[in-house]
Amino acid sequence: MSCYWIGDIQGCDEPLERLLDLVDFSPSRDHLVILGDLINRGPSSLAVLKRLMALEGSVQCVLGNHDLHGLAVACGQRQPGRLDTLDELMQARDAIDWCTWLRHQPLALSTHGVLSVHAGVLPTWTLAQTLALAGEVESVLRGPDWRDFLGQMYGNSPASWLEGLQGFDRLRVVVNALTRLRFCTPSGEMEFNTKEGADHAPAGFMPWFDVPGRRTANTTVAFGHWSSLRPAARQDVWALDTGCVWGGCLSAMRWAGDGPPERLQVPCPQVHKPF
């Protein structure tokens, strides 16, 4: 048995198919963890969702910012953006099915000793706290008030985690950390404007995984979201967004439990030019 962690697919089904063929993926033997942004920007979001949904118990997906945005558009809480490619999803006859399936995916996942999130983890959060806070958002997404939550999800404030936060402010901070985070201060204040690589950190900020004393430092964290981040030669963080939709690669990390993990990639056609 091998477990594969795959970075941002973003509606690019053909590279996903080639990657699964490359590793000879077997649903009865192997396991997939998809690190969010399953949909949007690419040409075949519906095909991606159908492929993953058909794998049933052999795949787990964490939600990314594009997945949450797709749900918000689907329920009328947000208008599509200029670069969105969500029309096929919105017009699908089984739109209710894919919405329901997405709403029941986690925002954080711990499996095989690896913490999987889409973007990052605030430095003050432990593994247990990260999973618990993700669970609070997951409960709302799966409940009757999910549409109201998606309407209140957008925004950059509060920029820091405080234990006393309540309501939509509390949920928004958790969503922003797990699905949008790149840079933060040592105290955990988040910054969302900078999309360049780690060497472009704004003054006073640093990549979330480099904060001294980060409380998940002893846990391997797999994440995507940061296509401009060059993967570091380190085993404590697996950066697996390598710009599939921008003409980069679709990347995976394979771990069979007996030896170091192995990075695998397939090249992707360019759908959009990078910002």
Side-chain angles (χ1 to χ4, degrees), residues 210-232:
D210 282 337
V211 172
R214 174 170 59 89
R215 299 183 73 186
T216 51
N218 293 325
T219 300
T220 298
V221 182
F223 66 101
H225 185 61
W226 201 342
S227 61
S228 60
L229 179 67
R230 294 181 179 179

Side-chain angles (χ1 to χ4, degrees), residues 98-188:
W98 71 254
C99 278
T100 300
W101 184 83
L102 267 187
R103 288 197 298 114
H104 284 77
Q105 303 310 305
L107 269 79
L109 174 68
S110 181
T111 183
H112 301 283
V114 177
L115 171 61
S116 299
V117 297
H118 176 59
V121 181
L122 287 177
T124 59
W125 291 354
T126 64
L127 170 61
Q129 186 178 16
T130 301
L131 296 173
L133 291 172
E136 293 183 24
V137 179
E138 293 158 14
S139 294
V140 176
L141 274 174
R142 297 167 187 175
D145 299 325
W146 66 278
R147 295 176 180 84
D148 293 338
F149 160 68
L150 291 171
Q152 298 292 328
M153 176 182 66
Y154 293 85
N156 295 340
S157 62
S160 302
W161 169 252
L162 296 171
E163 292 291 343
L165 286 172
Q166 300 292 325
F168 290 127
D169 282 350
R170 181 181 180 90
L171 299 174
R172 191 181 306 112
V173 170
V174 176
V175 167
N176 283 342
L178 295 177
T179 71
R180 298 178 61 205
L181 178 61
R182 293 185 181 94
F183 296 104
C184 65
T185 65
S187 64

Side-chain angles (χ1 to χ4, degrees), residues 198-213:
D199 55 348
H200 287 77
F205 291 82
M206 62 184 67
W208 63 266
F209 48 80
D210 282 337
V211 172

Side-chain angles (χ1 to χ4, degrees), residues 33-54:
V33 178
I34 311 297
L35 298 172
D37 280 5
L38 288 62
I39 63 171
N40 203 16
R41 301 291 171 82
S44 46
S45 293
L46 184 60
V48 168
L49 290 185
K50 287 185 174 181
R51 182 184 299 278
L52 295 176
M53 291 168 69

Side-chain angles (χ1 to χ4, degrees), residues 48-85:
V48 168
L49 290 185
K50 287 185 174 181
R51 182 184 299 278
L52 295 176
M53 291 168 69
L55 291 174
E56 297 181 339
S58 61
V59 64
Q60 292 175 287
C61 306
V62 296
L63 294 174
N65 51 304
H66 280 285
D67 308 314
L68 292 171
H69 176 67
L71 286 170
V73 172
C75 71
Q77 293 287 6
R78 197 74 171 182
Q79 292 298 311
R82 179 175 60 87
L83 296 180
D84 287 351
T85 56

